[in-house]
């Protein structure tokens, strides 16, 4: 077990109709003007945005609004948000939506609270010293951004998708009403369940510092998400299944399932981010499309973890041969992805990159990892390129 810090300052307000508490929660932050930030319009169509505004009105809270955060949220909108926030004297950002709206809000929060170009943080040039406080009303269980320290932004020039992590952006509060996720298309629900699983799996397939309590939480979380993802395939309005998945999403990326480990592998995320940046795919689907290829490429360097995963999570029958078990576990998870209509190759994802595009993604990915990344197995640019090739 390695030393660790566990920091989760976000106040979670979970359950039915909790969005009605938004006025009190914002008021308690003592701010003067709120920027309500949202995505492409689902919160307008569902009536949630109007409900939120009326709750802010009731508490005499001033606000401006900015919609338009798209999946793989863009830097250009972040710049627009920063300009608006500065012009209007905004001192609090309320993100209403999924990970993209939240991440875009975090980036606006950095840009409004620091001098200079906000992209510098995502380009690893310097660190942020402040961030405007962020509040969240979550409408999609997936990224865990409602409690996480990260945000992921895509710069259109060169289509570079990069994440930046700092405790400064962890939301002050996260309102989580599972009912708000019932309007999601089935595909987005499955993408979300995949992403949630991957945030724990990235922390699970490591070669250092693992502890039993963390493993038990991680394995339980993975089994719970799979069971409830299956329920949601048939019953998208099942409140309890929505609630299980929603809370799993937060726990999976607030650090809980990585305590004591070496920080995690994270190569599937790095590999996917380049695909998302270049081809604009849904993040969870991109992860499912590369996971099996990555797993088969690295499992022999992390055999005890893949064996444990196969037995405790995928419940494969123990053959007495760790390697065989590991491969059966990988196959079983791919089968699950297929059952929830997730792709297990780039082709199924609808992406057919050329050799040149693969070389470009591998090069960018290696830059994002500092030339070498991963814990299950250390990967260099040539390995990453091979994984893209094999995932086609
Ligand atoms: O934009 P709107 O109109 O709201 O529609 C969205 C969008 O089209 C829709 N949606 C969201 N809630 C809905 C809904 N539709 C109907 N009913 C609802 N209740 O779903 C679509 C996808 O939304 P988006 O926010 O893009 O999805 P997600 O939450 O999966 O976020 C993905 C982004 O987060 C990043 C990903 O890379 C990607 O850019 N990530 C952020 C992380 C973090 N900050 O910690 C970690 C993750 O690993 C991930 O990288
Ligand atoms: Zn993710």
């Amino acid at each position: 077990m390695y030393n660790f810090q566990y920091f989760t300052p976000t106040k979670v307000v979970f359950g039915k109709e909790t969005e009605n508490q938004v006025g009190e929660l914002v008021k308690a932050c003592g701010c003067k003007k709120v920027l309500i930030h949202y995505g492409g319009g689902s919160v307008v169509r569902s009536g949630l945005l109007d409900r939120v505004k009326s709750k802010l009105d009731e508490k005499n809270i001033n606000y401006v609004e900015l919609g338009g955060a798209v999946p793989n949220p863009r830097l250009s909108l972040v710049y627009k948000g920063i300009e608006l926030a500065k012009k209007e004297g905004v001192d609090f950002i309320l993100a209403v939506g999924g990970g993209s709206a939240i991440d875009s809000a975090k980036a606006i929060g950095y840009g409004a609270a620091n001098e200079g170009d906000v992209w510098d943080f995502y380009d690893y040039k310097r660190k942020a010293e402040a961030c405007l406080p962020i509040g969240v009303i979550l409408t999609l269980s997936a990224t865990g951004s409602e409690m996480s320290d990260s945000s992921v932004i895509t710069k259109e020039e060169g289509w570079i998708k990069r994440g930046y992590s700092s405790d400064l952006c962890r939301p002050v509060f996260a309102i989580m009403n599972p009912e708000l996720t019932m309007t999601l298309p089935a595909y987005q629900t499955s993408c979300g369940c995949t992403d949630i699983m991957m945030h724990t799996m990235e922390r699970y397939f490591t070669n250092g510092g693992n502890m039993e309590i963390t493993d038990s939480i991680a394995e339980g979380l993975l089994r719970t998400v799979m069971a409830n993802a299956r329920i949601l395939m048939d019953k998208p309005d099942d409140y309890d299944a929505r609630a299980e998945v929603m809370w799993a999403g937060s726990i999976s990326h607030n650090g809980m399932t990585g305590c004591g480990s070496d920080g995690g592998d994270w190569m599937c995320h790095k590999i996917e981010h380049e695909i998302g940046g270049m081809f604009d795919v849904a993040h969870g689907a991109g992860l499912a499309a590369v996971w099996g290829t990555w797993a088969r490429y690295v499992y022999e360097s992390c055999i005890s973890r893949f064996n444990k995963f196969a037995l405790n999570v995928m419940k494969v029958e123990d053959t007495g041969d760790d390697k065989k078990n590991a491969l059966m576990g990988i196959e079983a998870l791919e089968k699950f992805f297929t059952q929830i209509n997730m792709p297990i190759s780039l082709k199924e994802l609808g992406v057919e990159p050329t050799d040149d595009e693969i070389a470009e993604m591998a090069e960018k990915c290696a830059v994002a990892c500092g030339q070498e990344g991963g814990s299950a197995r250390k990967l260099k640019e040539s390995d990453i390129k091979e994984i893209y090739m094999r995932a086609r």
Side-chain angles (χ1 to χ4, degrees):
M1 190 214 309
Y2 294 142
N3 292 358
F4 65 89
Q5 288 189 7
Y6 179 61
F7 181 61
T8 52
T10 306
K11 177 173 190 165
V12 172
V13 184
F14 195 101
K16 292 180 183 174
E17 297 178 12
T18 44
E19 65 275 18
N20 294 336
Q21 297 175 41
V22 67
E24 291 124 74
L25 287 162
V26 171
K27 190 116 201 159
C29 296
C31 59
K32 294 197 181 65
K33 194 155 198 182
V34 176
L35 168 61
I36 307 175
H37 192 42
Y38 56 94
S42 71
V43 299
V44 179
R45 289 190 295 279
S46 68
L48 175 61
L49 188 66
D50 281 345
R51 289 212 304 287
V52 168
K53 288 198 277 191
S54 77
K55 292 293 163 193
L56 296 182
D57 289 337
E58 274 174 23
K59 298 283 173 195
N60 298 315
I61 297 166
N62 293 318
Y63 54 83
V64 286
E65 55 185 280
L66 177 68
V70 292
N72 303 309
R74 308 291 199 258
L75 182 61
S76 57
L77 188 73
V78 170
Y79 287 146
K80 208 170 152 187
I82 295 167
E83 204 184 311
L84 179 67
K86 285 183 173 168
K87 190 174 119 217
E88 295 285 341
V90 163
D91 56 2
F92 189 93
I93 308 184
L94 178 66
V96 187
S100 294
I102 304 169
D103 284 7
S104 186
K106 289 175 173 178
I108 294 169
Y110 285 130
N114 296 272
E115 294 301 319
D117 187 352
V118 69
W119 184 251
D120 288 352
F121 307 131
Y122 296 84
D123 207 17
Y124 322 123
K125 288 200 177 119
R126 61 193 175 103
K127 292 197 162 124
E129 283 165 15
C131 183
L132 292 187
I134 311 288
V136 170
I137 300 179
L138 188 64
T139 66
L140 201 178
S141 315
T143 63
S145 189
E146 66 276 8
M147 286 183 90
S148 83
D149 66 350
S150 37
S151 61
V152 188
I153 298 297
T154 296
K155 181 181 182 173
E156 293 95 323
E157 195 192 328
W159 294 106
I160 304 165
K161 182 172 173 177
R162 290 272 180 276
Y164 177 63
S165 298
S166 149
D167 282 333
L168 294 167
C169 78
R170 287 194 195 258
V172 183
F173 66 76
I175 293 176
M176 292 186 233
N177 175 357
E179 286 177 321
L180 297 180
T181 65
M182 288 180 186
T183 50
L184 279 168
Y187 182 73
Q188 287 298 340
T189 299
S190 291
C191 285
C193 290
T194 304
D195 193 22
I196 292 168
M197 291 181 70
M198 285 300 307
H199 293 152
T200 284
M201 283 156 52
E202 296 278 23
R203 292 170 164 95
Y204 186 90
F205 292 110
T206 64
N207 270 313
N210 303 106
M211 54 191 299
E212 204 179 314
I213 177 73
T214 299
D215 281 354
S216 300
I217 295 169
E219 289 165 2
L221 183 145
L222 293 170
R223 289 193 301 266
T224 303
V225 175
M226 282 194 291
N228 287 285
R230 286 195 180 103
I231 293 173
L232 290 173
M233 292 291 292
D234 295 329
K235 296 187 202 156
D237 291 347
D238 187 310
Y239 178 84
D240 288 335
R242 290 278 176 198
E244 297 284 355
V245 168
M246 188 170 240
W247 187 223
S250 301
I251 295 172
S252 195
H253 204 31
N254 73 6
M256 170 77 84
T257 57
C259 292
S261 87
D262 64 0
D265 185 88
W266 295 105
M267 285 310 294
C268 281
H269 266 76
K270 295 257 160 56
I271 288 168
E272 189 289 325
H273 280 173
E274 301 310 329
I275 302 170
M278 192 178 277
F279 299 101
D280 206 16
V281 297
H283 173 62
L287 290 169
V290 296
W291 183 80
T293 306
W294 166 85
R296 288 189 183 85
Y297 196 82
V298 307
Y299 81 100
E300 284 175 291
S301 307
C302 193
I303 197 73
S304 68
R305 307 293 295 168
F306 275 91
N307 180 46
K308 199 169 148 69
F309 172 79
L311 299 177
N312 295 351
V313 180
M314 301 316 298
K315 300 286 181 189
V316 307
E317 207 170 314
D318 191 355
T319 61
D321 178 336
D322 290 4
K323 226 169 132 175
K324 254 193 205 158
N325 291 347
L327 285 170
M328 282 161 65
I330 295 168
E331 205 175 305
L333 183 58
E334 283 189 323
K335 203 168 155 200
F336 165 75
F337 285 150
T338 302
Q339 282 167 357
I340 62 164
N341 295 329
M342 285 288 98
I344 55 168
S345 67
L346 293 181
K347 194 163 185 209
E348 284 186 17
L349 179 66
V351 163
E352 296 190 34
T354 62
D355 289 355
D356 284 351
E357 284 168 336
I358 283 183
E360 187 185 331
M361 288 194 291
E363 193 189 334
K364 283 180 180 167
C365 185
V367 170
C369 312
Q371 296 312 320
E372 190 180 70
S375 169
R377 175 175 163 183
K378 293 264 173 249
L379 301 179
K380 294 190 171 65
E381 186 177 329
S382 54
D383 300 304
I384 297 164
K385 189 171 168 190
E386 188 59 31
I387 290 172
Y388 283 127
M389 289 286 187
R390 292 187 193 181
R392 281 205 274 199

